[in-house]
Amino acid sequence: MTTEQAPSPGISRRRLLGSAGAAGAAGLVAGGAAGAYASEAARETPEPLTSVGATAVPFHGGHQAGITTPLQAHGHLLAFDLKAGANRKAAAALLRRWSRTARQLTAGEAPPDDTGIALDAGPSSLTVTFGFGRTFFGKVGLDDRLPEALAPLPHFVSDALDPKRSDGDLWIQIGADDALVAFHALRALQREAAGTARLRWQMNGFNRTPGATDRPMTTRNLMGQIDGTNNPKPTDDDFERRIFVPEKGEPAWMAGGSYAVVRRIRMLLDAWDHLSLERQEKVIGRRKSDGAPLSGGTETTPVRLDKVNADGSLAIAGAAHVRVAAPASNQGAAMLRRPFSYHDGFRADGAPDAGLLFIAWQADPMKGFVPVQRKLDLGDDLSRFLRHEASALFAVPPGCAPGEYVGQALLEG
Amino acid sequence: MTTEQAPSPGISRRRLLGSAGAAGAAGLVAGGAAGAYASEAARETPEPLTSVGATAVPFHGGHQAGITTPLQAHGHLLAFDLKAGANRKAAAALLRRWSRTARQLTAGEAPPDDTGIALDAGPSSLTVTFGFGRTFFGKVGLDDRLPEALAPLPHFVSDALDPKRSDGDLWIQIGADDALVAFHALRALQREAAGTARLRWQMNGFNRTPGATDRPMTTRNLMGQIDGTNNPKPTDDDFERRIFVPEKGEPAWMAGGSYAVVRRIRMLLDAWDHLSLERQEKVIGRRKSDGAPLSGGTETTPVRLDKVNADGSLAIAGAAHVRVAAPASNQGAAMLRRPFSYHDGFRADGAPDAGLLFIAWQADPMKGFVPVQRKLDLGDDLSRFLRHEASALFAVPPGCAPGEYVGQALLEG
Ligand code: HEM
Ligand code: HEM
């Protein structure tokens, strides 16, 4: 596990609280907010924070945070395009700024000129994950370092993609268990892009609040299903190999990195909710109540695709989502699904604008998302209730060590 | 306080879980989801839930829940218009359905044909609050019961209102500490409107996650300020009189009810974030770090509007928000502010589509929101950083007793 239960060392936002107040009251505040919050911090004694706020996920490490981190309650996805004239040097400076700020924020520290939105809260499991899109490389003269794995995703029959909300040169995934902590990070990181990159699209998502249920790991999606059960597990022998680019992998700067496929998938909830429970369970191949496969057992019992009912029918139907998506049906193809639900109100046609910000992580999209989605696209019973509305693919480099920044081996190597 | 820490009695969603599974596995599922979830519930032993999920706010009571209830982490606001031909009887039937479902959901029970979205979670402090807009009364032949207090709000200079996201015949406020529990309620209630009312507008908001901070009551907004400090307190002598229509009040069906002013107020965050901390604090009249008034003390110290600095200037500036909004500057006018923050991504101009779903509660809008907003509209330093984009006013009847429904005295009395 990459989480620790204690507030990280350094100057926490909580410790800054009282001192900023003191400075303000004494009329000592000079310029921006930064000086004020930082001035007398060392004098303060940290107060205990409850566990939701106090949980910190380290920014530094072999892999970036936000990939194997447990699902967070709030997520923001941001894609940026480089501004005209932004070169490799400018991009490197941006990634350096972003990495520095991400490190501070994830440790619960206040960056310079802080907006104050996250004051009082701890890091609340904040993670910030950076990625590069295919279009990034040509713009900064790094065509020779473009990974083969960033080849454009193929077209799928059921695609109804909005190009304005797809793709992008740079990507940030923000996750946190508190909405204000997540929004605070979004504002701080967006501000730092200003001279170099322009927001292309942005999406908000959510998962269950910590403590709303005792159920661990898996969450429910807006169709009501338990989602995430048959994900590859960090304890699996082949987990690292499936999800992360190996040490001797290609290109070298991606060793320890991963590829993120991002799909905004709207759910046709009015149609879905009209199905009987029995039909809904058949479409997926698992029970809705507890996620157990229709081939028997409990949520974690391995799926038996060959199980036949007394009447001779397949226990898990031929077009059931878990059958069509299973590694066994796709020459072993597997990915780590780590989604957020989304709900952006209602569409003009009265239908909810809601669904899944589907994010799949894998060492190679051609051995993960692509073959599985090809199969789902044609033969999955669930597809009738889904609309893929936006799509993107990003190379997410390995994590960085203290003093380094994410993407350094790409931009300086 | 209206919260209780134990799961409410009755059939909880948790207890239904295992049994629904059992029914499904045995192939006993007949029609919709309802039967399955409810079938063998009584056999199950409830498991303990952690406190966030287990907290239930009673639906029944003298006042509706969601007014004095502590802020919840997630909110949905929904306005509906009656469909052509929907009469008083149809409206009464709708309010009866809605009240029954709200009671079930807030107790953590599963309504018939449940979508399952909230399975595993407890009630998570869910509240559902119903209101009537001015346009409701004529449509159902109840013009004679239209409260004077529902007179249209006056036009304000700084208004830039979108009529499509303003007003409405009927209003629902949903609040919960878990996003899936809140969305679950939204779907269940919207479905029940189907034959009778059509969604007019819908907005999503949020506050801090329970446990992200140890700070009680007050929250921060997206400008980074502590918000809610000088709200009327339930312990104030005049709290009931200010916020709720008195027992002998007019009209009789509103006795124990309250009026909700809803304003979608966008924050011009890019401009705001460019101000120095000192300027930001002057605009409000309180310190950003800890919310203490610039006239001295801590967050809860009474504001001293007459306090003068050593240099002769007012400690709280002439156009500071807390001066212009204070009861002392408005012949005692006061309201209970109970907002959600919102963030719906970014606008075409690159600015965040974010701000406050401002909800003000009072016994009479003419002695609450209206005079205060008139004053703020002309002389408040904060106004320059705000855009009022939508507006509505609803009569929120008293709570109902078991067996009754909200609005019964209006619709049947
Ligand atoms: C909104 C869209 C989707 C929904 C609601 C959905 C829902 C589910 C559910 C309920 C399960 C069973 C529980 C689990 O193992 O997690 C599942 C499994 C799975 N899904 Fe999806 N899914 C969606 C889209 C996709 C897409 C686009 C892909 C990949 C292209 C995918 C790949 C998988 C895989 C690989 C499994 C595990 C199958 C197994 O090994 O048993 N899903 N999904
Ligand atoms: C996005 C818009 C707004 C923001 C960010 C905002 C922010 C604040 C802040 C930070 C405070 C001080 C802390 C507190 O006592 O809660 C405050 C106080 C107050 N605000 Fe606002 N406010 C907004 C809009 C409004 C509106 C529209 C009204 C009513 C028309 C209003 C009425 C009040 C009142 C009555 C107080 C308490 C003043 C006192 O008695 O000290 N506010 N607001």
Side-chain angles (χ1 to χ4, degrees):
Chain A
M1 289 284 74
T2 52
T3 51
E4 49 178 62
Q5 290 299 321
S8 64
I11 301 168
S12 80
R13 282 191 300 264
R14 292 273 305 180
R15 289 172 66 191
L16 293 168
L17 236 195
S19 57
L28 297 176
V29 182
Y37 292 145
S39 54
E40 298 183 75
R43 291 199 207 151
E44 300 296 319
T45 321
E47 287 168 44
L49 270 174
T50 54
S51 64
V52 171
T55 305
V57 183
F59 177 69
H60 295 297
H63 308 308
Q64 288 193 61
I67 304 174
T68 58
T69 309
L71 294 175
Q72 295 125 319
H74 295 275
H76 297 299
L77 309 183
L78 294 85
F80 295 85
D81 284 337
L82 289 172
K83 291 189 173 172
N87 57 15
R88 174 169 164 177
K89 214 177 127 192
L94 174 58
L95 267 296
R96 187 182 286 283
R97 286 198 297 277
W98 272 351
S99 297
R100 185 200 53 212
T101 299
R103 192 206 56 72
Q104 290 174 321
L105 294 171
T106 53
E109 298 169 21
D113 280 318
D114 186 36
T115 56
I117 298 167
L119 281 169
D120 311 332
S124 302
S125 299
L126 177 69
T127 58
V128 179
T129 318
F130 301 102
F132 298 98
R134 178 180 176 77
T135 47
F136 175 81
F137 296 82
K139 292 187 188 172
V140 297
L142 286 172
D143 267 330
D144 55 328
R145 300 198 177 173
L146 176 69
E148 265 182 60
L150 275 189
L153 295 175
H155 175 79
F156 301 104
V157 176
S158 61
D159 280 359
L161 304 181
D162 175 0
K164 289 198 300 293
R165 294 195 294 184
S166 297
D167 306 323
D169 296 343
L170 291 157
W171 181 61
I172 305 180
Q173 173 193 256
I174 295 168
D177 278 333
D178 179 70
L180 296 180
V181 167
F183 186 79
H184 178 242
L186 177 152
R187 291 291 293 164
L189 295 163
Q190 200 206 349
R191 182 169 56 178
E192 290 182 335
T196 310
R198 166 180 308 113
L199 195 65
R200 180 183 171 89
W201 55 257
Q202 197 257 302
M203 298 173 191
N204 300 330
F206 56 85
N207 284 300
R208 193 141 260 176
T209 298
T213 174
D214 301 328
R215 177 179 284 282
M217 296 310 289
T218 47
T219 186
R220 282 189 194 266
N221 60 41
L222 299 186
M223 285 177 155
Q225 303 138 359
I226 294 180
D227 204 337
T229 306
N230 247 1
N231 256 332
K233 310 271 176 307
T235 46
D236 295 349
D237 280 346
D238 53 3
F239 181 81
E240 280 282 318
R241 187 175 56 74
R242 282 178 185 287
I243 309 306
F244 296 106
V245 177
E247 222 175 303
K248 306 251 142 127
E250 276 297 315
W253 65 269
M254 271 296 285
S258 184
Y259 291 89
V261 172
V262 180
R263 308 278 289 189
R264 181 183 173 99
I265 309 181
R266 183 159 60 87
M267 295 170 169
L268 307 186
L269 289 178
D270 290 329
W272 174 258
D273 290 348
H274 269 97
L275 292 191
S276 69
L277 177 62
E278 196 180 8
R279 277 296 297 145
Q280 290 185 349
E281 294 183 336
K282 232 174 156 169
V283 166
I284 294 294
R286 287 181 176 270
R287 285 203 305 244
K288 203 167 173 186
S289 56
D290 63 355
L294 296 185
S295 51
T298 65
E299 182 188 350
T300 52
T301 306
V303 181
R304 286 184 47 200
L305 295 176
D306 55 353
K307 170 92 183 283
V308 173
N309 294 326
D311 67 359
S313 64
L314 284 166
I316 299 194
H321 182 68
V322 302
R323 175 186 296 279
V324 183
S329 309
N330 295 282
Q331 276 121 27
M335 69 206 94
L336 179 66
R337 292 164 289 128
R338 189 177 184 281
F340 295 93
S341 289
Y342 75 88
H343 171 222
D344 291 340
F346 284 77
R347 293 155 47 92
D349 63 6
D353 190 3
L356 205 61
L357 301 179
F358 175 92
I359 308 174
W361 298 91
Q362 58 256 295
D364 180 354
M366 293 306 292
K367 295 183 184 145
F369 175 81
V370 172
V372 176
Q373 177 57 20
R374 267 208 186 107
K375 197 116 170 203
L376 291 173
D377 194 31
L378 299 174
D380 173 27
D381 252 359
L382 185 61
S383 302
R384 291 182 295 125
F385 302 95
L386 304 178
R387 290 288 175 276
H388 288 242
E389 297 192 332
S391 174
L393 169 61
F394 300 102
V396 172
C400 65
E404 298 175 357
Y405 63 90
V406 172
Q408 190 159 355
L410 165 65
L411 291 158
E412 295 183 14
Chain B
M1 287 288 75
T2 51
T3 52
E4 49 178 59
Q5 291 298 320
S8 62
I11 301 167
S12 79
R13 282 191 299 266
R14 293 273 305 182
R15 289 170 66 190
L16 293 169
L17 235 193
S19 57
L28 298 175
V29 181
Y37 291 146
S39 53
E40 297 184 73
R43 292 199 206 151
E44 301 296 319
T45 321
E47 287 168 44
L49 270 174
T50 55
S51 64
V52 171
T55 305
V57 183
F59 177 68
H60 294 298
H63 308 308
Q64 288 193 61
I67 304 175
T68 57
T69 310
L71 294 175
Q72 294 126 320
H74 295 275
H76 297 300
L77 308 184
L78 295 85
F80 294 86
D81 284 337
L82 289 172
K83 291 189 174 173
N87 58 14
R88 175 170 163 177
K89 211 176 130 196
L94 174 58
L95 267 295
R96 187 183 287 281
R97 286 198 296 279
W98 272 351
S99 296
R100 186 199 53 211
T101 298
R103 192 206 55 73
Q104 289 174 321
L105 295 171
T106 53
E109 297 168 22
D113 279 319
D114 187 35
T115 56
I117 299 168
L119 281 170
D120 310 331
S124 302
S125 298
L126 177 69
T127 59
V128 179
T129 318
F130 300 103
F132 298 98
R134 177 181 178 76
T135 46
F136 176 80
F137 295 82
K139 293 186 188 173
V140 296
L142 286 172
D143 267 329
D144 54 328
R145 300 199 177 171
L146 175 69
E148 265 182 58
L150 275 190
L153 295 176
H155 175 79
F156 301 104
V157 177
S158 60
D159 281 358
L161 303 181
D162 175 359
K164 287 198 300 294
R165 293 196 293 183
S166 297
D167 305 324
D169 296 343
L170 291 157
W171 181 61
I172 305 181
Q173 173 193 258
I174 296 168
D177 278 334
D178 179 70
L180 296 180
V181 168
F183 186 79
H184 178 242
L186 177 152
R187 290 291 293 162
L189 294 164
Q190 200 204 349
R191 181 170 55 178
E192 291 183 334
T196 310
R198 168 180 305 115
L199 195 66
R200 178 182 172 91
W201 54 258
Q202 196 258 303
M203 298 175 191
N204 300 331
F206 57 85
N207 284 300
R208 192 141 261 174
T209 298
T213 174
D214 300 329
R215 175 178 287 281
M217 297 308 291
T218 47
T219 186
R220 283 189 192 266
N221 60 41
L222 298 186
M223 286 176 155
Q225 303 138 1
I226 293 179
D227 205 336
T229 306
N230 248 2
N231 255 332
K233 310 270 175 305
T235 47
D236 295 349
D237 281 347
D238 53 4
F239 181 81
E240 280 283 319
R241 187 174 56 75
R242 282 177 184 289
I243 309 306
F244 297 106
V245 177
E247 221 175 303
K248 308 250 140 131
E250 276 297 313
W253 65 269
M254 271 295 286
S258 184
Y259 291 89
V261 173
V262 181
R263 309 279 288 189
R264 182 183 172 97
I265 308 180
R266 183 159 59 87
M267 295 171 169
L268 308 186
L269 288 178
D270 290 328
W272 174 259
D273 290 348
H274 269 97
L275 291 189
S276 69
L277 177 62
E278 197 182 5
R279 278 295 298 144
Q280 289 185 347
E281 294 184 336
K282 234 176 152 163
V283 166
I284 294 294
R286 288 181 175 270
R287 285 201 308 242
K288 204 167 172 185
S289 56
D290 63 357
L294 296 186
S295 51
T298 65
E299 182 187 348
T300 51
T301 306
V303 181
R304 288 185 45 200
L305 294 175
D306 55 353
K307 170 93 183 284
V308 173
N309 294 324
D311 66 0
S313 64
L314 285 165
I316 299 194
H321 182 68
V322 302
R323 175 186 296 280
V324 182
S329 311
N330 295 283
Q331 276 122 26
M335 70 206 92
L336 179 67
R337 293 164 289 127
R338 189 176 182 283
F340 295 93
S341 290
Y342 74 87
H343 171 221
D344 291 339
F346 284 78
R347 293 155 47 93
D349 64 5
D353 190 3
L356 206 61
L357 301 179
F358 175 93
I359 307 174
W361 298 91
Q362 59 257 293
D364 180 355
M366 293 306 291
K367 294 182 185 146
F369 175 80
V370 172
V372 176
Q373 177 58 19
R374 269 209 184 106
K375 197 113 169 206
L376 290 172
D377 194 33
L378 299 173
D380 173 28
D381 252 359
L382 185 61
S383 302
R384 291 182 294 126
F385 301 96
L386 305 178
R387 289 287 175 277
H388 288 241
E389 296 192 330
S391 175
L393 169 60
F394 299 103
V396 172
C400 64
E404 298 176 357
Y405 62 91
V406 172
Q408 189 159 355
L410 165 66
L411 291 159
E412 295 183 15

